[in-house]
Amino acid sequence: MPSEKTLELKKQQVAALSEALKSSCAGIIVDYKGITVADDTALRKKLREGGNTYSVVKNTLLSRALKDAGIEGLDSYLEGSTAIAYSENDYTSAAKALFEYADKHKNFTVKAGFIDGAAIDAAGVKNLADLPPKEVLIAKVLGGLNAPISGLANVLNGTIRGLAIVLNAIAEKQSA
C-alpha cells in the first residue's frame, strides 16, 4: 500500500492534470515507445512552439484525470506507454505535429484524443490533423459570405452599364 505522502502527491497530480484537461479544447493520446531522447526533445520543442503541453503520464493517473475532467470513452486506449498532448486554444497544431512525427517514426502511434470534452479515435485525430490552418478556414468562410455581395454588385453594375450604353446610343442618334 502506498504511503500517505505518495498518495497525496498522486492526488495533486491528478487534480492538476484534470484542471488542465478541463481548460483544453483538444488533446491527443499517443504511444511513445521506442523513440530516442533526442527525438522526444525535438517533438516536445515542436509542440511547445505550437502552444501545446506534452507530458508522459501513468495510465491510472490519466484515467482518473480524464474522468474528473468529464471526458469519457478513452479508458480503452490507456495501455502501454502513454503520453498526452493538449492545448487550451488550438485544435489542430498538436494533431499535425504528432502525425507528422508518427510518419517518420514507426514505433510512435497516435491512439485517440478528445475535442471539447468528446472522445475521438485515431481516425478522428487524423481528420483533425488534415484540417487547414484556422486562417485559411476563416478566409474561406469570409469568401463564401462575400461572394453573393460581389455577384449583386456585378449585376447592378451590368444594369447601369447597359443603361449608359442605351443613353449614349440615343444621344448619338439625336445628334446625327
Side-chain angles (χ1 to χ4, degrees):
M1 181 158 178
S3 69
E4 235 3 83
K5 186 176 180 182
T6 304
L7 193 57
E8 186 60 34
L9 179 64
K10 287 183 179 183
K11 285 180 181 179
Q12 290 173 358
Q13 289 174 339
V14 168
L17 184 58
S18 176
E19 286 303 313
L21 294 176
K22 282 179 188 175
S23 64
S24 297
C25 61
I28 294 108
I29 299 171
V30 297
D31 183 351
Y32 65 91
K33 122 184 109 191
I35 63 172
T36 65
V37 173
D39 289 339
D40 187 55
T41 303
L43 175 63
R44 287 174 186 267
K45 181 179 180 215
K46 183 167 182 126
L47 286 166
R48 262 193 315 274
E49 289 171 355
N52 301 293
T53 303
Y54 177 82
S55 56
V56 174
V57 184
K58 289 188 174 192
N59 291 327
T60 54
L61 297 181
L62 182 57
S63 175
R64 289 186 178 154
L66 287 168
K67 185 177 181 182
D68 289 349
I71 302 168
E72 302 289 332
L74 294 175
D75 284 344
S76 62
Y77 299 103
L78 300 179
E79 295 176 0
S81 306
T82 303
I84 185 166
Y86 52 92
S87 176
E88 291 185 8
N89 54 14
D90 190 350
Y91 287 89
T92 62
S93 66
K96 288 178 188 299
L98 292 170
F99 267 101
E100 180 182 311
Y101 187 83
D103 288 342
K104 296 176 185 173
H105 301 85
K106 298 303 173 201
N107 292 336
F108 189 88
T109 57
V110 175
K111 295 179 180 181
F114 65 89
I115 300 173
D116 291 331
I120 57 174
D121 61 359
V125 176
K126 177 68 173 157
N127 290 338
L128 188 63
D130 292 339
L131 283 175
K134 182 179 180 180
E135 294 78 20
V136 172
L137 290 174
I138 290 172
K140 286 183 178 183
V141 168
L142 292 177
L145 292 174
N146 195 24
I149 296 168
S150 298
L152 177 63
N154 286 337
V155 167
L156 293 176
N157 193 21
T159 304
I160 293 171
R161 186 174 37 246
L163 179 62
I165 291 171
V166 168
L167 289 176
N168 191 26
I170 292 172
E172 285 178 8
K173 185 177 180 182
Q174 287 182 352
S175 67

